[in-house]
Amino acid sequence: MINNTLLQDAMGMIDEEFIEEIIENSARPSKKLTWQRIAAVAACLCLTVSIATLTSIFFRGNTPSNTSDPDFSINIDQYIWSTESTDNMSVEIAVDDWYAAWNGWSITSELYQTLENTDDQALLAIIVETKSNGNNMMKFKYNGTTYEEIIIEQSKLEQKYNKLIEFYKVGEWLKYGEALYTTGIPDGERWSKQLYDSEVAYYGQEMLDRYIVNGELLSDKIMQDAEETQQQIEAQEQLLKDCLAAYHKQNSIDAEEVFVKTGVTHCLKNDSLYLFVSKQELEDIKILNKSKYILGLARKRVFEVDADELPVELDHNISGFDLEKMHLYYDGKTIQPTSDSQVITTIENIIMLDQYAYDHLEIHVDSTFSLTDPKNQLNFLKYDTIYHYKLNKSQIISIHINIKYENIDMQALQRLSNMEEITYIHIGSTLTPIPG
Amino acid sequence: MEDYKILDLFWSRNEQAITESKNKYGTLICSIAFNILRNRQDTEECENDTYIGAWNTIPPTRPQKLSAYLAKLSRNIAITKFRANNTKKRGGGEVAASLHELDECIPDQSQDKALAAEQLSSILNEFLASLSQNERQIFMRRYWKCDAIGGIAKHLGCSSSKVKMTLLRTREKLRKFLEQEGIFYDK
């Protein structure tokens, strides 16, 4: 029980990113955002997936005047949209059978509840997701390489990297060769022959010959190779993201071909298929293989955002940021910029990546107590909300500021960074980690 | 309500924060607690304690992900309650089973008394980061969320034997990982 207690406590303290991962992976209805984020990353990095052609909206209505008319528009405010937060899971985490059944469709519980509580004329904005088919997905080709091949290659690289890192430590013993189990080594370490043989077999003669020369471990060479491998892994991860985005896009295009035949008003935007239907129309849709799809209420913000357009134009001519204070949180990493232009482009990247979910930038600031009235003294930031909290022990005022995208002013941020009272600035999308 | 708004409510000491947290994450919190406690009344208490825990720690904390933060609070409170419940009666269920499986990886108290949970947690973080996403998911579901093997298999669309095999291999990796960190017994 002592061991269990220790383990329970340790497991209770692990990083929240791992907890978040299982929550997100458990919540299938929230996968939409993942796709959107993938698409956004691809767009941001100007990689191979061109989504420009997909950002145009093509509606095909169920009345003759609307059919195939790209100028057709509807008042999207009349429709019922999802009220769920974009990057959070559905609350049904414990339910194994995720989707409700309705007229042969698999639908999210939010849509199910909406259908239960509305009349036949209710107008619904629906997003269509194609259920993952493991086999199809594995065989999906992106730039001549299948998804499966990318995963295998990535796995091999990760194994290689892990082995290198392990060898960096274990090599310090293995460099002594057989002495490790015969006489023991100078620091007193002595292995059994069985352990020695198993370690040599695990790392392989090639690795031993490459990194142990004349009884010396070439640590620098190991680290150099590990860094190169890490770069290859990152490139592979990007390839995997692009491949997934392309797979999703293809599924949406395929789904559109099916739904276009039904005559319902629909739209392909940002690589996703949307239906604009009344409850009655949804009930009347007849297609083969309904079970292939999952329907859910669409998120209005995700629909409205254009994947390759920034919602605000930032002034790139601003200079003179106090770079020492600036910390920018982008795509899971905190970046300390080394130039003014990096501040601005990183903020653009943050917005680009997160605009599906949020309409504002979140800034966390530490200041000294000499900033007596943050609300007024920082109103030049044109913030949406501001909260501050005094950390008496450390003589710091912790300030939390939200600024709507359209109100972001780089000149104001530069001014903020140069205020003497301000000691630390952390900028990201919502819910960025708080320093310290 | 979006997470940042809920956090703003916590930060402005507005009790509506608890209502909104309950609305949005009540089921998540309860599901984690229930997985461990298997008792409705205890689960409700755990849920309430989770909101109190959040109220007492936000601010100054501003979690990166409110869902993960509340989930972590809920899990830790449930584990504490589980321990209290089992001081008199040794409990069974998935918690005991999942932890028993990990016994083989954890050093004996007698072999390293100084090993603290914090230290082990830091190593576990490294270990988790080294796993593939699939391995990590299975490991976390089993040993953090205390899910049943059958439930994990069902969710992932694979057989129970595959989950068991993955867990076996991952435990072996953990054992080796701990060994390399110098906190395991000599062979």
Side-chain angles (χ1 to χ4, degrees):
Chain A
M1 201 60 194
I2 290 167
N3 287 343
N4 283 352
T5 305
L6 178 69
L7 179 71
Q8 284 165 356
D9 290 344
M11 288 295 282
M13 284 189 264
I14 58 168
D15 281 353
E16 283 165 23
E17 63 178 292
F18 300 122
I19 299 167
E20 188 193 330
E21 186 179 62
I22 57 163
I23 291 171
E24 285 191 349
N25 284 331
S26 303
R28 293 180 204 164
S30 70
K31 280 194 171 174
K32 191 69 245 152
L33 181 77
T34 307
W35 291 113
Q36 300 293 356
R37 291 174 70 97
I38 288 164
V41 170
C44 280
L45 299 175
C46 304
L47 291 176
T48 47
V49 179
S50 168
I51 52 176
T53 53
L54 291 158
T55 53
S56 301
I57 303 174
F58 297 96
F59 287 106
R60 297 182 184 87
N62 55 355
T63 60
S65 61
N66 292 334
T67 306
S68 300
D69 180 359
D71 296 326
F72 167 72
S73 61
I74 56 171
N75 179 4
I76 59 172
D77 291 331
Q78 291 178 341
Y79 287 78
I80 298 172
W81 296 82
S82 171
T83 56
E84 287 182 9
S85 176
T86 41
D87 72 337
N88 286 298
M89 69 298 178
S90 155
V91 292
E92 302 158 288
I93 190 113
V95 182
D96 281 332
D97 191 6
W98 272 96
Y99 300 105
W102 188 83
N103 276 324
W105 297 105
S106 293
I107 63 173
T108 62
S109 67
E110 186 190 26
L111 177 55
Y112 185 84
Q113 282 165 17
T114 305
L115 290 166
E116 286 283 291
N117 296 316
T118 51
D119 61 33
D120 288 348
Q121 303 314 309
L123 297 172
L124 308 161
I126 285 176
I127 188 155
V128 180
E129 179 92 71
T130 305
K131 284 181 188 168
S132 288
N133 176 324
N135 195 37
N136 279 353
M137 191 169 165
M138 286 295 172
K139 300 298 172 206
F140 180 77
K141 269 197 173 179
Y142 176 70
N143 283 354
T145 313
T146 64
Y147 179 85
E148 190 174 26
E149 286 165 347
I150 299 171
I151 287 182
I152 290 170
E153 181 58 25
Q154 189 177 355
S155 170
K156 280 182 188 168
L157 286 167
E158 281 171 357
Q159 280 175 16
K160 182 182 169 187
Y161 178 80
N162 291 335
K163 228 173 189 176
L164 281 167
I165 297 301
E166 288 165 14
F167 195 73
Y168 187 78
K169 295 177 187 171
V170 180
E172 287 292 351
W173 289 316
L174 290 177
K175 70 181 181 185
Y176 292 100
E178 292 173 358
L180 196 49
Y181 66 86
T182 53
T183 58
I185 61 173
D187 70 359
E189 182 84 12
R190 189 169 176 175
W191 289 9
S192 68
K193 184 174 187 306
Q194 189 191 5
L195 175 60
Y196 176 80
D197 288 343
S198 71
E199 290 297 291
V200 166
Y202 174 70
Y203 291 107
Q205 200 57 48
E206 194 185 335
M207 200 167 200
L208 266 70
D209 290 346
R210 182 173 171 80
Y211 300 115
I212 298 176
V213 177
N214 299 327
E216 284 303 314
L217 182 71
L218 306 181
S219 303
D220 289 347
K221 196 178 172 90
I222 296 174
M223 289 319 287
Q224 192 185 339
D225 286 357
E227 277 170 24
E228 276 175 22
T229 310
Q230 184 56 32
Q231 283 167 7
Q232 290 170 337
I233 291 169
E234 282 169 16
Q236 207 67 15
E237 281 171 354
Q238 188 58 50
L239 186 62
L240 193 66
K241 283 181 181 177
D242 292 346
C243 179
L244 279 167
Y247 176 72
H248 175 66
K249 175 179 162 183
Q250 189 58 53
N251 275 340
S252 295
I253 291 169
D254 293 345
E256 191 201 16
E257 281 181 21
V258 173
F259 280 88
V260 70
K261 292 171 190 161
T262 66
V264 295
T265 303
H266 71 279
C267 159
L268 193 59
K269 191 181 178 194
N270 294 340
D271 292 353
S272 290
L273 180 65
Y274 294 86
L275 309 180
F276 294 88
V277 289
S278 67
K279 180 179 169 183
Q280 185 63 56
E281 284 172 326
L282 184 64
E283 201 171 339
D284 292 342
I285 291 177
K286 286 186 175 52
I287 60 166
L288 289 174
N289 213 357
K290 278 183 178 178
S291 61
K292 193 176 167 184
Y293 305 101
I294 300 159
L295 308 183
L297 281 180
R299 295 186 181 107
K300 195 175 175 193
R301 179 160 187 85
V302 175
F303 175 78
E304 286 179 319
V305 166
D306 279 327
D308 57 351
E309 274 184 25
L310 270 172
V312 59
E313 196 174 327
L314 302 184
D315 187 347
H316 280 252
N317 295 318
I318 304 299
S319 59
F321 288 93
D322 187 335
L323 299 174
E324 289 282 309
K325 296 178 189 171
M326 304 290 283
H327 297 78
L328 308 170
Y329 186 73
Y330 169 62
D331 200 18
K333 292 175 194 144
T334 300
I335 298 162
Q336 190 154 15
T338 53
S339 66
D340 293 322
S341 63
Q342 195 187 359
V343 173
I344 300 163
T345 52
T346 307
I347 290 176
E348 281 184 340
N349 287 339
I350 292 167
I351 296 169
M352 199 75 179
L353 187 64
D354 292 330
Q355 60 176 329
Y356 294 103
Y358 312 115
D359 60 358
H360 64 274
L361 206 60
E362 185 162 297
I363 302 177
H364 179 89
V365 170
D366 282 349
S367 88
T368 61
F369 276 16
S370 53
L371 192 78
T372 50
D373 184 9
K375 234 174 188 173
N376 283 322
Q377 285 168 281
L378 299 181
N379 63 7
F380 64 88
L381 288 168
K382 289 183 258 174
Y383 55 74
D384 189 33
T385 59
I386 184 166
Y387 296 104
H388 66 278
Y389 185 79
K390 288 183 182 175
L391 301 169
N392 288 310
K393 282 181 187 169
S394 56
Q395 298 291 302
I396 284 173
I397 301 176
S398 193
I399 308 166
H400 196 82
I401 305 158
N402 286 332
I403 306 175
K404 294 268 187 198
Y405 289 150
E406 60 267 29
N407 292 330
I408 296 170
D409 178 353
M410 295 314 296
Q411 185 74 60
L413 288 179
Q414 186 255 38
R415 181 178 158 191
L416 176 76
S417 78
N418 286 293
M419 286 174 71
E420 271 185 27
E421 303 91 332
I422 303 298
T423 57
Y424 191 99
I425 301 173
H426 192 83
I427 299 178
S429 56
T430 192
L431 305 180
T432 57
I434 296 305
Chain B
M1 181 180 279
E2 289 180 328
D3 281 0
Y4 81 93
K5 288 182 181 163
I6 300 176
L7 285 167
D8 284 349
L9 290 172
F10 273 113
W11 269 61
S12 56
R13 311 312 289 156
N14 184 333
E15 288 177 13
Q16 185 68 16
I18 291 177
T19 309
E20 295 298 340
S21 299
K22 189 178 173 68
N23 287 344
K24 190 167 182 183
Y25 294 119
T27 311
L28 166 68
I29 291 165
C30 287
S31 73
I32 288 170
F34 189 80
N35 242 12
I36 294 165
L37 296 164
R38 301 281 159 184
N39 175 299
R40 189 175 170 177
Q41 194 183 341
D42 284 349
T43 298
E44 283 172 5
E45 281 176 25
C46 180
E47 186 194 6
N48 289 333
D49 289 349
T50 301
Y51 302 132
I52 292 167
W55 181 259
N56 289 337
T57 52
I58 309 173
T61 310
R62 193 171 174 96
Q64 185 182 358
K65 286 284 175 188
L66 184 59
S67 55
Y69 188 75
L70 293 174
K72 193 172 178 178
L73 277 176
S74 167
R75 193 253 182 206
N76 292 350
I77 291 166
I79 287 282
T80 305
K81 200 173 269 293
F82 173 84
R83 280 182 198 159
N85 289 351
N86 287 279
T87 48
K88 289 179 187 170
K89 182 187 73 177
R90 290 284 174 207
E94 292 305 330
V95 183
S98 68
L99 291 172
H100 179 69
E101 285 168 21
L102 275 179
D103 266 355
E104 65 197 64
C105 307
I106 306 300
D108 243 351
Q109 178 79 347
S110 58
Q111 279 152 349
D112 192 346
K113 287 179 183 167
L115 181 65
E118 200 173 338
Q119 188 191 350
L120 181 57
S121 158
S122 162
I123 294 164
L124 278 173
N125 282 333
E126 272 184 58
F127 172 70
L128 288 169
S130 76
L131 296 178
S132 71
Q133 197 188 24
N134 191 48
E135 287 170 332
R136 190 163 55 238
Q137 235 210 111
I138 292 175
F139 186 89
M140 285 290 289
R141 281 177 166 274
R142 181 68 178 152
Y143 303 124
W144 188 86
K145 206 163 165 268
C146 304
D147 274 353
I149 286 174
I152 300 170
K154 192 175 173 188
H155 185 88
L156 296 177
C158 62
S159 65
S160 291
S161 59
K162 189 179 174 188
V163 171
K164 279 182 196 167
M165 183 53 73
T166 305
L167 286 170
L168 183 72
R169 287 183 178 146
T170 311
R171 286 200 303 272
E172 182 54 30
K173 277 188 188 177
L174 175 60
R175 200 174 65 81
K176 200 171 165 60
F177 196 88
L178 291 171
E179 195 177 45
Q180 283 170 358
E181 293 294 326
I183 58 166
F184 198 45
Y185 55 83
D186 288 335
K187 281 186 176 179

